[in-house]
Amino acid sequence: MNKVRAGFTLVELLVAILILSIGLVGLASTMAAMTRWQMLSASRAEMTLLADGKLERLRAAGAVLSPDTAELRIGGSVDTPADPHTDIVVGPSSRRFVLLWSVAAGPATTRDVRLRVRPEVDVPQTPAKLDFATLIALKQ
């Protein structure tokens, strides 16, 4: 009489565990990469928000053109801090960022503004820098 055995052999069980382990390691590395990308995206959005706020303040200064519009004087650099073309701001995440901008004469009565946002402390979850450019109309 032949007996039929039901179940798995030890070798089959070990192969199944190995395949499952490889899949789980791949899934874990994908989750880690997605977390890094999400943090980078959030930092980029925060830096863009800060740059937009600064550019709006510069536009408002150009519309008023009062004596305190030193921020719109021609000069500055996006590479090297220079007063009055430098700000250090704290973002919504409580991280500190450096805003550097340069101002050049633009067409007619405008100023060509280049703005760079960079983290005060370099961390892997934050872009090294983001650059923006705009023309700002001065009050006539």
Side-chain angles (χ1 to χ4, degrees):
M1 184 180 238
N2 287 338
K3 286 186 173 181
V4 177
R5 292 188 184 181
F8 299 104
T9 66
L10 185 59
V11 173
E12 291 171 328
L13 187 59
L14 289 174
V15 168
I17 290 174
L18 178 67
I19 292 171
L20 181 64
S21 298
I22 290 171
L24 289 176
V25 167
L27 183 63
S29 68
T30 300
M31 288 175 59
M34 288 297 126
T35 300
R36 280 192 303 274
W37 279 104
Q38 188 272 335
M39 292 174 75
L40 188 62
S41 176
S43 294
R44 185 173 283 122
E46 182 177 22
M47 293 168 75
T48 301
L49 176 74
L50 295 171
D52 186 52
K54 183 60 184 181
L55 290 174
E56 284 303 315
R57 286 188 297 280
L58 290 173
R59 284 186 192 99
V64 173
L65 199 62
S66 62
D68 60 349
T69 54
E71 295 175 321
L72 283 175
R73 277 192 227 142
I74 293 177
S77 171
V78 295
D79 297 315
T80 315
D83 272 345
H85 297 95
T86 303
D87 275 344
I88 295 178
V89 295
V90 179
S93 69
S94 299
R95 286 185 287 182
R96 294 168 55 94
F97 294 91
V98 178
L99 304 177
L100 304 168
W101 64 96
S102 66
V103 181
T109 59
T110 63
R111 294 282 193 256
D112 181 14
V113 178
R114 308 284 174 181
L115 175 73
R116 175 169 290 167
V117 182
R118 63 178 171 83
E120 190 174 50
V121 177
D122 212 8
V123 292
Q125 298 85 6
T126 305
K129 66 183 181 202
L130 288 180
D131 291 328
F132 302 87
T134 189
L135 285 177
I136 294 179
L138 301 177
K139 180 181 174 187
Q140 299 265 344

